[in-house]
Amino acid sequence: MNQKEIEAYIIQKYQEDEQLMVRIFVEWCHENDLNPEKLYHEAYPAQPPNALLKQLNAEREPFDMTIDAGTLINVLQIFGNDDLAHIVSVYAKK
């Protein structure tokens, strides 16, 4: 692999992982009767609506397992979504 191919591969893997993170967030929200777009806006009020979140929420396919809040919070933090992880923790305690 040359340098360009390696960079393209890394970007592709990051985007795939990001999609999985959003899918996990969407699933957790639905399992807990919460609107994922509303929670995202609560965490990031100055940002425009997230297109990937909107798309994956509309195309949602339920997981075969339950997502616990701790796992979701860890996944969000890995991607630097600390504000969203905080909002999730607040709602998880309710």
Side-chain angles (χ1 to χ4, degrees), residues 22-91:
V22 174
R23 286 187 65 220
I24 291 169
F25 172 66
V26 166
E27 183 61 24
W28 181 86
C29 287
H30 284 280
E31 287 175 0
N32 291 280
D33 296 321
L34 299 167
N35 181 326
E37 294 176 58
K38 180 181 175 264
L39 264 66
Y40 183 87
H41 180 71
E42 209 173 307
Y44 306 109
Q47 289 187 9
N50 183 300
L52 179 59
L53 174 59
K54 192 175 199 76
Q55 174 192 348
L56 294 178
N57 189 31
E59 299 171 354
R60 176 180 169 250
E61 294 180 24
F63 284 15
D64 289 337
M65 64 180 130
T66 300
I67 307 297
D68 69 84
T71 299
L72 174 58
I73 290 167
N74 288 334
V75 169
L76 292 171
Q77 289 176 329
I78 288 170
F79 281 86
N81 288 306
D82 296 328
D83 294 339
L84 188 54
H86 173 72
I87 295 296
V88 166
S89 71
V90 168
Y91 279 90

